[in-house]
Amino acid sequence: MRTWALLLPLLMATAQAQVCSVDKTVFEVKENTNSSEPLLDIYVPEGQQVTLGPSSTRFAFRIQGTQLFLNVTPDYEENSMLQAQLECKSGDTTVTQLRVFVSVLDVNDNTPQFPYVARVWKVPEDTKVNTTIIPETELEAQDLDKDDILFYTLQEVTLGASDFFSLMGTNRPALRLDQPLDFEKCRNMTFQLLVRDTQEENVEPSHTATATLVLEVQPADLRPPWFLPCTYSDAYVCIQAQYQGTVPTGHKLPGALVLQPGPIYAVDGDWAISQPIVYSFMKGHEDGTFSIDASTGNLTMSKSVPSPKTFLLVVKGEQADHGRYSVTQVMVEARDANGSLPRFPESLYRGTVARGSGVGVAVKDAAAPSQPLRIRAQDPEFPDLNSAITYQITNNSNFRMDGEAVLTNALLVHTGVFYAEVEAKNTVTSGTATTVVEIQVSEQEPAPTAGTSGAGGGSTTNKPSGDQRFSAVEMAALGGVLGALLLLALIALMVLVHKLYGHRLKCCSGKALEPQPQGFDNQAFVSEEANWAPAPSPSPRPGRPPTPEPVTPGPTSPSPATLHHVPESPAAARDGEDPAAVRSILTKERRPEGGYKAVWFGEDIGAEADVVVLNEPASEADGAGDSGSEGSGDAGSDAGPGRGTEDPPGADSIYF
């Protein structure tokens, strides 16, 4: 026995030396690992060959010599276990078969994916709180990394949306309602659902994905009808006002009653559903005095009320689907209408109309020329009787009333302002009131209205209102007319000036005074080269030299006898000076030099003075000395208006 014990290892070693063998048959490799090193070494006996058997994972391994290599990059999601079958052969005989297993370890290398990018869910407004709106199976994401645990976060996009919805848990993406919904406050809410394959954000590797959730709130029938107007206390209750009205005793009003603060009108409190409202009486209508329209809520009288009385009517407004209803109270007071007077809101109305307008043209409102003038009176106690008020003009036959409109009643020939008294009469109460209308009849056509107006066949032209633009031809015609008017005005002004002041500007010789430059110097005598060439005077008669006194041009001109001497000006030219020097034109002497001008004032300078400008050539001044010039005033006293052409003045003399 001891011999066999000693021989057994030797026999086994000898047997192993005749077959293939490996040191290890199971390996672990992380996915995505690329290695150029051999996976293991294979012992192959002499005379044998090793190959991969058919059970090997396809394309996963290769044998080079006696070494086994991984031939692919392992991927856990594709194949988590790789197998290599090693066959050792001697010729065609398989001597040994070995199996080697490679376990691929999972690595977090995949991003989680949502089965949707965006989804829309409709949520009824009346959904109960804590209800699961969307189950987990419809929101969760998928991750190919089988061992990954996903973590979810709900991020609001619509401000305040996170107050209404939340997730059931970090790893449970079911959506839950946290507080009641209100369709009127928030109709759509948007969220972004984030998923991460790690609990911490800064861990590597870590992958995330997002999807969009849109929640649409659907209106539900939660509110009863609301009678308007009302005060809103919250989103579900409306505190409504009660209605009041008055009717005259002894009269049955033909139309719907006018109530305060408005007509009977209710709307569905859930306005998004907006069920039609049906109106009916619940109480107070037993005597049949009033009736109500089921679809409009208009309250009308079925018969008159003989004496003053107060009615309390309870009106019901119910949804057409009979889902909800509400009630309100209407108080109608029957009063005696005698003595009730209509009233005009304005004491003076202003209108405008174009001259030449025919019969039936509407007068426009002066404040809004594109609109017809409307005159309306109201009964403050019985608003329902406003329709019974009639209107007429009492003191002007050019205009008449057509309802509340003012129309022309005759061809308007003249421009001007017309006043008319308008009387309003309530045909039920016989009360009257008056007001005044001021109508401006002008050349300009009032601004066109949007349509025709008037009665009795008269109408206005239908033109667009607004700013009007004129063509170049119209502007040119207007400019020509204005230019012609300006020219006529200038001509009339010239004629008027000539008639009033012509005798003061007229030249004795019939020639106009030569223009003088502006200033205080007599520029004609500054230089000897000054060209002073007076027109030739008529030849004096023999024996008598020509006199400087002007001939009276007419009965309005002053007589020469009114001319008086004035003292010699201290600035008069002195003897021996250059004749061309500047000299004073104020003098009492007549100078013999040719071309010399002098102005001769009357004695009383402060009074209305007569002035003679003497301008006589030297040839005509011969024989007229200083004494002759000075005594010309006396000589002129002998002459009168009938002197005629006997003593003509110098040709260039000008008389003022």
Side-chain angles (χ1 to χ4, degrees):
M1 293 293 294
R2 287 186 68 156
T3 303
W4 284 105
L6 295 174
L7 291 176
L8 184 59
L10 181 61
L11 292 174
M12 293 180 63
T14 303
Q16 290 179 354
Q18 302 299 319
V19 297
C20 295
S21 62
V22 294
D23 296 335
K24 189 176 181 180
T25 59
V26 177
F27 297 86
E28 289 183 348
V29 178
K30 291 183 179 180
E31 64 175 327
N32 305 324
T33 301
N34 291 315
S35 177
S36 60
E37 299 295 326
L39 184 65
L40 55 83
D41 292 327
I42 307 172
Y43 172 74
V44 180
E46 185 178 357
Q48 297 183 15
Q49 301 85 28
V50 59
T51 59
L52 292 173
S55 299
S56 301
T57 303
R58 192 177 183 184
F59 306 122
F61 301 93
R62 74 178 185 274
I63 296 176
Q64 292 181 355
T66 59
Q67 291 180 324
L68 181 66
F69 292 85
L70 275 174
N71 198 41
V72 295
T73 300
D75 186 353
Y76 177 84
E77 288 74 32
E78 182 178 349
N79 197 341
S80 61
M81 181 65 72
L82 304 177
Q83 175 182 328
Q85 182 184 10
L86 304 178
E87 291 184 349
C88 291
K89 294 182 179 181
S90 176
D92 294 334
T93 303
T94 301
V95 178
T96 307
Q97 289 186 348
L98 299 174
R99 294 182 183 273
V100 177
F101 297 94
V102 178
S103 176
V104 181
L105 301 180
D106 189 17
V107 174
N108 186 12
D109 62 342
N110 290 287
T111 300
Q113 300 289 333
F114 284 104
Y116 54 89
V117 176
R119 290 193 63 178
V120 179
W121 279 269
K122 299 183 183 299
V123 184
E125 183 184 11
D126 57 353
T127 302
K128 303 298 182 181
V129 175
N130 293 326
T131 300
T132 300
I133 305 300
I134 308 174
E136 179 179 351
T137 55
E138 295 188 28
L139 291 181
E140 63 183 357
Q142 304 297 326
D143 193 340
L144 297 178
D145 298 322
K146 297 180 175 57
D147 295 333
D148 284 354
I149 299 176
L150 301 181
F151 300 86
Y152 296 89
T153 303
L154 189 64
Q155 301 172 338
E156 70 174 24
V157 176
T158 303
L159 185 64
S162 59
D163 296 336
F164 293 90
F165 297 96
S166 64
L167 296 177
M168 296 290 290
T170 303
N171 306 114
R172 296 184 58 193
L175 194 65
R176 176 181 57 195
L177 179 65
D178 294 334
Q179 69 176 5
L181 298 173
D182 188 344
F183 176 81
E184 295 185 2
K185 290 184 178 180
C186 193
R187 306 179 193 176
N188 294 279
M189 285 171 274
T190 303
F191 294 91
Q192 189 175 51
L193 184 60
L194 173 70
V195 63
R196 183 183 295 106
D197 56 10
T198 60
Q199 186 172 4
E200 303 296 332
E201 296 183 10
N202 300 325
V203 177
E204 292 294 339
S206 179
H207 306 89
T208 61
T210 58
T212 301
L213 308 180
V214 179
L215 303 176
E216 294 183 351
V217 180
Q218 301 297 304
D221 191 2
L222 302 175
R223 303 163 186 85
W226 293 343
F227 284 95
L228 303 180
C230 66
T231 302
Y232 294 83
S233 59
D234 57 26
Y236 298 95
V237 178
C238 172
I239 302 175
Q240 56 216 12
Q242 296 183 351
Y243 300 93
Q244 298 178 351
T246 54
V247 296
T249 58
H251 299 279
K252 176 181 174 296
L253 299 179
L257 301 186
V258 178
L259 304 176
Q260 297 296 330
I264 299 174
Y265 180 68
V267 295
D268 189 348
D270 301 299
W271 64 269
I273 299 177
S274 191
Q275 274 285 321
I277 305 301
V278 179
Y279 303 91
S280 62
F281 286 125
M282 293 187 68
K283 184 180 179 181
H285 65 297
E286 290 78 11
D287 63 350
T289 302
F290 301 98
S291 61
I292 189 170
D293 188 281
S295 58
T296 64
N298 288 336
L299 191 65
T300 56
M301 296 184 69
S302 302
K303 60 182 180 179
S304 63
V305 181
S307 60
K309 183 180 179 181
T310 300
F311 297 86
L312 293 178
L313 307 174
V314 178
V315 176
K316 174 183 177 182
E318 185 177 16
Q319 295 177 186
D321 61 358
H322 305 289
R324 297 178 182 272
Y325 73 91
S326 60
V327 296
T328 188
Q329 180 175 277
V330 181
M331 183 176 69
V332 181
E333 185 178 359
R335 297 179 184 174
D336 188 359
N338 294 331
S340 179
L341 301 178
R343 294 180 184 176
F344 286 100
E346 303 289 341
S347 60
L348 178 64
Y349 293 82
R350 290 182 172 87
T352 179
V353 68
R355 184 177 71 87
S357 298
V359 177
V361 176
V363 176
K364 305 300 177 61
D365 193 337
S370 62
Q371 301 295 329
L373 179 63
R374 295 286 181 182
I375 300 177
R376 182 182 296 108
Q378 297 179 349
D379 194 314
E381 296 185 19
F382 300 97
D384 299 278
L385 300 181
N386 291 339
S387 59
I389 298 177
T390 60
Y391 304 89
Q392 66 173 347
I393 292 178
T394 61
N395 63 345
N396 195 318
S397 60
N398 291 320
F399 304 94
R400 64 181 176 86
M401 296 298 297
D402 182 18
E404 298 173 352
V406 182
L407 306 180
T408 57
N409 198 38
L411 177 64
L412 302 180
V413 180
H414 304 288
T415 61
V417 179
F418 295 82
Y419 291 88
E421 181 184 68
V422 177
E423 180 186 72
K425 182 178 181 180
N426 193 322
T427 57
V428 175
T429 65
S430 300
T432 61
T434 60
T435 188
V436 177
V437 182
E438 178 187 279
I439 302 174
Q440 175 74 42
V441 179
S442 59
E443 292 288 351
Q444 185 178 4
E445 181 74 20
T449 60
T452 61
S453 60
S459 63
T460 59
T461 304
N462 186 8
K463 295 181 180 180
S465 61
D467 294 339
Q468 302 295 325
R469 298 292 183 265
F470 300 95
S471 64
V473 176
E474 293 173 331
M475 295 299 294
L478 179 61
V481 172
L482 294 177
L485 293 176
L486 180 60
L487 179 60
L488 292 176
L490 291 176
I491 293 175
L493 181 61
M494 293 174 63
V495 172
L496 182 61
V497 171
H498 181 275
K499 288 185 177 181
L500 295 178
Y501 304 103
H503 63 281
R504 298 187 180 184
L505 302 175
K506 188 180 299 181
C507 178
C508 294
S509 62
K511 293 183 63 178
L513 178 66
E514 295 181 6
Q516 298 293 329
Q518 299 294 330
F520 296 100
D521 294 332
N522 192 342
Q523 301 295 331
F525 299 98
V526 172
S527 173
E528 294 234 5
E529 299 177 1
N531 183 13
W532 189 269
S537 302
S539 301
R541 291 187 180 183
R544 186 173 182 176
T547 59
E549 289 80 11
V551 178
T552 305
T556 60
S557 302
S559 172
T562 61
L563 302 178
H564 300 281
H565 302 286
V566 295
E568 184 177 1
S569 170
R574 294 182 295 272
D575 295 337
E577 290 183 346
D578 187 353
V582 178
R583 305 175 185 179
S584 173
I585 64 173
L586 303 179
T587 181
K588 65 181 180 179
E589 299 176 351
R590 180 170 183 174
R591 300 293 184 181
E593 291 85 4
Y596 177 73
K597 283 187 176 181
V599 179
W600 184 18
F601 289 90
E603 181 177 7
D604 188 4
I605 301 302
E608 182 178 356
D610 293 324
V611 182
V612 175
V613 178
L614 303 178
N615 182 19
E616 189 174 23
S619 61
E620 297 182 4
D622 295 343
D626 293 344
S627 61
S629 175
E630 188 166 341
S632 61
D634 297 336
S637 63
D638 297 334
R643 189 170 54 175
T645 60
E646 203 170 318
D647 296 305
D652 288 344
S653 298
I654 300 177
Y655 171 72
F656 290 85

